[in-house]
């Protein structure tokens, strides 16, 4: 491991054993946010963090009541004329079932070889712990920090972050910062560090097609009336062309195009397309023309039918014209598509292509914003330098096809660029039995975080 800072290294060496014990203590608290019987454990984990942050030398640490599981806040604001970074992580964890597939009890952490096994070891308690330890070690080694830090550790990430947005809105002034750093992601492959540049947003809608009050006899009425299921199929078929392009007018208007650097970064990822296809058991991969599989699955918007139903579904045959038919349709969105605007375009287009003879309605079921912090953003580059210094190799840049809603919240409510610097192995079994964290990554992540603060002194303010 390359040396980052001699005084910091001495401090981290000296405290290695107590750090591991502290990590294990934190993992022993069964802070499962989704299960009401663990509400006290979530609160205990929040208070454990408040104590750990305070012991690390951070200030104003508190467990803020929100109506659900508390949000832990702390700060250190003594770096005059330096940028402020808001750090986010979550102390809650997923449920542990099926319990019988765990090789050791999920809340009794054990170190086996280079791995520490426990629920939350990776997602996300291990990364939260690394942040607290990094700040504590820097403060112990230097008595000061190069930048200002604000910490937000949530307790409801695994159960929809129900109370977070309202709190962010209410505390906008207190949470003012120059950049948000989220450590809740992982590596793409092996032990090579990664920065996640973007997450997709979502637009979710339902199409309802209604004909008659009850199903009709297809012999008596077939040929004379519109069939809602046929009509629905016709509309769905009209949403996308054979080239995989979505036909909704204006759909692509706000898409920030991939730069050459973006495309090169994605193309350089170790990704075996044939293996990806064969693991899926599919005869072919398909998608939007002109883009690679990696681009399509994370950096381009999509439209998919998530469910479709109507008419007779039982065994055998029943000769009817269904009274109604329905489909759930969602779009994964990329920066700077707005879910509300995309829905309006979707609704207008479906109404335009709706066949006559039935009533078609389109309803909005919800949406979320995409987020993107470009490769050339100074905060992305600070993170890249920190990762390279700590891990001894430059990070790869990846894009996440799914969403981390909190990213969009930091971007839209607090108006912050978001850097996703996470440290978990790609096969860490998050949300599954035998979740683990690589102890070397954990230790190196502490150096990377400390280095990130040194690399952040010149960030734009
Ligand atoms: Zn997580």
């Amino acid at each position: 491991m390359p040396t980052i800072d001699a005084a910091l290294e001495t401090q981290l060496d000296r405290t290695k054993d107590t750090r591991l014990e502290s990590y294990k203590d934190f993992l022993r608290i069964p802070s499962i946010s989704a299960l009401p019987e663990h509400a006290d454990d979530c609160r205990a984990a929040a208070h454990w963090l408040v104590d750990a942050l305070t012991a690390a030398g951070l200030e104003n640490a508190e467990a803020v009541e929100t109506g659900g599981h508390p949000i832990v806040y702390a700060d250190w604001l003594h770096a005059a004329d330096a940028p402020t970074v808001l750090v986010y992580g979550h102390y809650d964890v997923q449920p542990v079932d099926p319990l019988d597939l765990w090789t050791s009890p999920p809340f009794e952490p054990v170190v086996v070889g280079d791995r520490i096994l426990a629920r939350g070891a990776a997602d996300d308690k291990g990364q939260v712990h690394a942040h607290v330890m990094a700040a504590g070690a820097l403060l112990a080694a230097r008595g000061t920090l190069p930048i200002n830090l604000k910490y937000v550790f949530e307790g409801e990430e695994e159960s929809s972050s129900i109370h977070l947005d309202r709190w962010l809105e209410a505390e906008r002034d207190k949470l003012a910062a120059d950049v948000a750093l989220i450590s809740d992601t992982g590596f793409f492959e092996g032990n090579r560090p990664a920065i996640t540049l973007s997450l997709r947003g979502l637009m979710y809608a339902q199409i309802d097609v209604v004909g008659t009050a009850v199903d009709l006899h297809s012999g008596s009425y077939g040929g004379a009336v519109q069939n809602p299921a046929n009509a629905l199929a016709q509309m769905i078929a009209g949403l996308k062309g054979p080239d995989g392009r979505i036909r909704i007018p204006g759909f692509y208007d706000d898409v920030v195009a991939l730069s050459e650097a973006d495309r090169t970064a994605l193309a350089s990822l170790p990704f075996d397309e044939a293996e990806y296809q064969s693991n899926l058991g599919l005869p072919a991969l398909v998608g939007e023309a002109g883009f690679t599989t990696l681009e399509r699955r994370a950096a381009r918007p999509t439209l998919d039918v998530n469910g479709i139903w109507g008419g007779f579904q039982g065994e055998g045959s029943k000769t009817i014209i269904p009274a109604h038919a329905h489909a759930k349709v969602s779009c994964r969105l990329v920066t700077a598509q707005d879910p509300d605007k995309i829905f309006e375009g979707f609704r207008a287009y479906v109404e335009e292509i709706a066949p006559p003879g039935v009533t078609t309605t389109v309803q909005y079921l919800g949406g979320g914003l995409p987020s993107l912090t470009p490769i050339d953003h100074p905060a992305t580059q600070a993170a890249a330098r920190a990762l390279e210094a700590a891990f001894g190799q430059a990070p790869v840049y990846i894009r996440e096809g799914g969403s981390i809603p909190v990213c969009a919240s930091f971007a839209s409510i607090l108006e912050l660029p978001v850097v996703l610097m996470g440290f978990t192995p790609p096969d860490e079994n998050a949300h599954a039995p035998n979740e683990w964290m690589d102890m070397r990554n954990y230790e190196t992540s502490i150096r990377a975080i400390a280095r990130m603060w040194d690399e952040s002194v010149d960030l734009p303010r």
Side-chain angles (χ1 to χ4, degrees), residues 23 90 120-128 130 182-194 196 387 391 398 400 420-430 435-442 445:
Y23 187 5
H90 62 91
D123 178 20
D124 182 37
K125 279 167 142 179
Q127 308 201 56
V128 165
I182 298 183
S183 292
D184 191 16
T185 49
F187 293 176
F188 183 80
E189 190 219 25
N191 224 30
R192 180 147 187 206
T196 303
L387 287 169
F391 284 89
I398 58 180
E400 180 58 55
L420 293 155
M421 185 169 84
F423 303 100
T424 63
D427 53 346
E428 84 287 47
N429 296 331
E435 179 176 348
W436 61 283
M437 178 68 183
D438 188 305
M439 280 305 297
R440 296 164 301 180
N441 278 20
Y442 164 80
S445 74

Side-chain angles (χ1 to χ4, degrees), residues 169-186:
E169 272 158 24
E171 299 293 347
R172 209 178 262 140
D173 294 340
K174 176 176 169 165
L175 299 175
D178 300 296
V179 61
L181 183 93
I182 298 183
S183 292
D184 191 16
T185 49

Side-chain angles (χ1 to χ4, degrees), residues 179-181 194-198 262 372-388 395-398 417-421 452 455-456 459-460:
V179 61
L181 183 93
I195 295 174
T196 303
L197 294 174
S198 67
D262 290 327
L372 165 73
T373 305
I375 289 183
D376 58 4
H377 191 283
T380 305
Q381 286 307 309
R385 292 192 300 274
L387 287 169
E388 182 162 6
V396 291
Y397 296 98
I398 58 180
V418 176
V419 174
L420 293 155
M421 185 169 84
M452 176 68 184
E455 296 288 349
S456 297
L459 289 183

